Amino acid sequence: MTIFERFSASLHGDEPVALVTRLDDDLPGAKLLVDRHGRLGDLGSPRLNATVEAEARALLTFGQTALRTFGENGEPIPLGREARVFIQSFAPKPDMYIFGAIDFSRTMARIGKYLGYRVTVVDARPVFATARRIPDADKVVVAWPDEFLRNARVDARTTIIVLTHDQKFDIPLLLVALGTDAGYIGAMGSRRTHAARVEELRAAGIGDPDLARISAPIGLDIGARTPEETALSIASEIVALRSGRGGGRLRDSASPVHPQTSHATR
Amino acid sequence: MIDILDAIERWRSDGQRVALATVVGVEKSAPRDPGAAMAVNERGEVAGSVSGGCVEAAVYEEAQDAIAGGRPRLVTYGISDEQASEQGLTCGGTIYVFVERLDW
């Protein structure tokens, strides 16, 4: 199968795919295709291929297209000869589903949109689930959370954020969420709230590996108080998890600033 | 690119050689964003566009050359206001177009 054939098959199948073209004079037109199966093609060196693949996966998460320059062997900062590449992503926007139309949902919708998600806010209460209260959401839906999610499109790039804060909604919703391959499942609530949830989920037959998929208490430990800060904390956790990072301070870490391998298309 | 995929596939299945021109960068205001693409086949048929019509003729020539075996190349079109008005077009800015034969 040629690169073009695989590329075309991805587009027809509505599957995310990135097409990379080398632009500089050394190997003009060299191609690399990156999709969920791996990569195909050659930009000139194995390290360059690996570096560009990681970059392409990160861009692909949000369907972004970019020009990048690397060293001829894939060094992120070129010192000698440069490889210039054009990375073109073809991907539908990933979904962020926010359950519960509370103050935190408003700021979460805003930062979700900012990150490139298609944001849907779901609440069973028509009084709260209004576009006026959550202006940045692409969609505000009045529905029972678990019923909504059962019929929603979910893939590995999907983010599910449970802000309902009410066991009666949380438990059925989390049971549905754990049945999907969503890349992020976060649930708001204190440690005590979550301990109670875990107990109920266990009673419903959920085991440790699935329980470990739930980010709760939700967010990174940045001391967030306001809805804006809380949204920032949750958004940071989403990004950190996606790139397989702990979320600590860079100055306290010895690993490279930019991830060398990316889990972007999970 | 998605908009011209069908045309490219049709041409290729007819055994036509095809050249692809893709906008890879723009400066200031440009009518089309990076990723916009135009394809040309050896019969001279065209699908898609890379600008609002300002540079298509020039890109067409490059594409013909690529079909004939020319090396893939990055072409810059700096569209000054002066040039734009000379051509009677409303484009501005600079666009970078990569032209290659679709042999991959």
Side-chain angles (χ1 to χ4, degrees):
Chain A
M1 193 182 238
T2 65
I3 291 176
F4 182 80
E5 283 163 355
R6 185 150 142 189
F7 170 68
S8 150
S10 295
L11 291 187
H12 285 299
D14 212 14
E15 300 248 0
V17 60
L19 186 64
V20 184
T21 303
R22 191 160 166 182
L23 306 179
D24 59 279
D25 281 337
D26 277 350
L27 272 173
K31 284 277 185 298
L32 188 76
L33 174 144
V34 176
D35 62 15
R36 67 188 176 89
H37 304 291
R39 66 176 191 238
L40 179 66
D42 187 9
L43 296 173
S45 91
R47 260 200 71 191
L48 180 62
N49 291 339
T51 306
V52 173
E53 179 187 0
E55 186 72 17
R57 288 198 186 285
L59 290 168
L60 193 52
T61 309
F62 295 107
Q64 288 165 348
T65 285
L67 271 176
R68 292 279 187 267
T69 304
F70 300 96
E72 58 180 330
N73 285 312
E75 310 88 270
I77 300 164
L79 295 172
R81 280 165 43 162
E82 296 182 349
R84 287 192 84 201
V85 295
F86 178 63
I87 305 174
Q88 197 175 1
S89 292
F90 301 84
K93 276 188 178 181
D95 282 297
M96 173 180 284
Y97 298 120
I98 302 171
F99 296 94
I102 57 174
D103 234 20
F104 293 107
S105 320
R106 177 179 53 79
T107 53
M108 197 64 231
R110 182 161 202 185
I111 205 164
K113 188 91 177 161
Y114 178 63
L115 286 176
Y117 285 96
R118 191 174 56 171
V119 179
T120 306
V121 176
V122 184
D123 196 303
R125 305 162 301 175
V127 180
F128 293 101
T130 66
R132 179 189 288 251
R133 275 171 52 85
I134 306 165
D136 290 303
D138 292 286
K139 256 164 70 183
V140 180
V141 179
V142 179
W144 285 85
D146 57 320
E147 274 176 31
F148 173 88
L149 189 60
R150 204 170 285 124
N151 300 308
R153 190 182 66 174
V154 178
D155 62 28
R157 301 187 307 148
T158 304
T159 286
I160 295 173
I161 300 169
V162 181
L163 307 179
T164 37
H165 221 277
D166 179 340
Q167 303 284 77
K168 140 173 125 256
F169 292 115
D170 289 5
I171 301 299
L173 176 56
L174 285 170
L175 286 172
V176 178
L178 291 171
T180 69
D181 58 356
Y184 179 90
I185 302 171
M188 184 170 266
S190 64
R191 289 184 200 285
R192 208 173 55 189
T193 303
H194 191 59
R197 268 194 213 122
V198 165
E199 213 169 291
E200 287 209 36
L201 289 169
R202 275 195 206 287
I206 300 297
D208 284 339
D210 272 337
L211 289 171
R213 287 180 63 198
I214 304 173
S215 296
I218 199 169
L220 289 190
D221 183 10
I222 59 171
R225 298 290 306 173
T226 64
E228 287 77 10
E229 291 170 356
T230 304
L232 183 64
S233 150
I234 298 171
S236 307
E237 184 178 42
I238 291 167
V239 176
L241 218 66
R242 198 181 67 217
S243 42
R245 293 304 191 94
R249 298 181 74 187
L250 286 169
R251 55 164 283 173
D252 297 337
S253 131
S255 48
V257 171
H258 299 292
Q260 294 301 294
T261 56
S262 169
H263 307 270
T265 53
R266 282 190 310 136
Chain B
M1 178 66 163
I2 294 172
D3 52 327
I4 58 172
L5 190 65
D6 287 348
I8 294 173
E9 285 180 332
R10 203 167 54 243
W11 295 342
R12 278 166 63 106
S13 65
D14 287 350
Q16 287 279 312
R17 285 178 298 176
V18 177
L20 182 66
T22 308
V23 177
V24 297
V26 299
E27 281 169 22
K28 297 184 186 153
S29 80
R32 299 214 50 193
D33 289 328
M38 171 176 135
V40 177
N41 70 14
E42 60 188 288
R43 284 195 299 255
E45 293 170 300
V46 179
S49 74
V50 292
S51 76
C54 314
V55 302
E56 270 71 8
V59 171
Y60 180 83
E61 295 301 322
E62 299 284 350
Q64 291 292 354
D65 188 62
I67 288 174
R71 201 170 145 86
R73 82 223 47 187
L74 184 61
V75 195
T76 306
Y77 298 97
I79 312 163
S80 69
D81 291 343
E82 201 176 302
Q83 280 175 314
S85 61
E86 266 172 28
Q87 293 172 26
L89 297 167
T90 54
C91 309
T94 302
I95 68 174
Y96 302 89
V97 180
F98 190 75
V99 186
E100 63 191 317
R101 188 156 97 180
L102 213 166
D103 52 8
W104 36 275

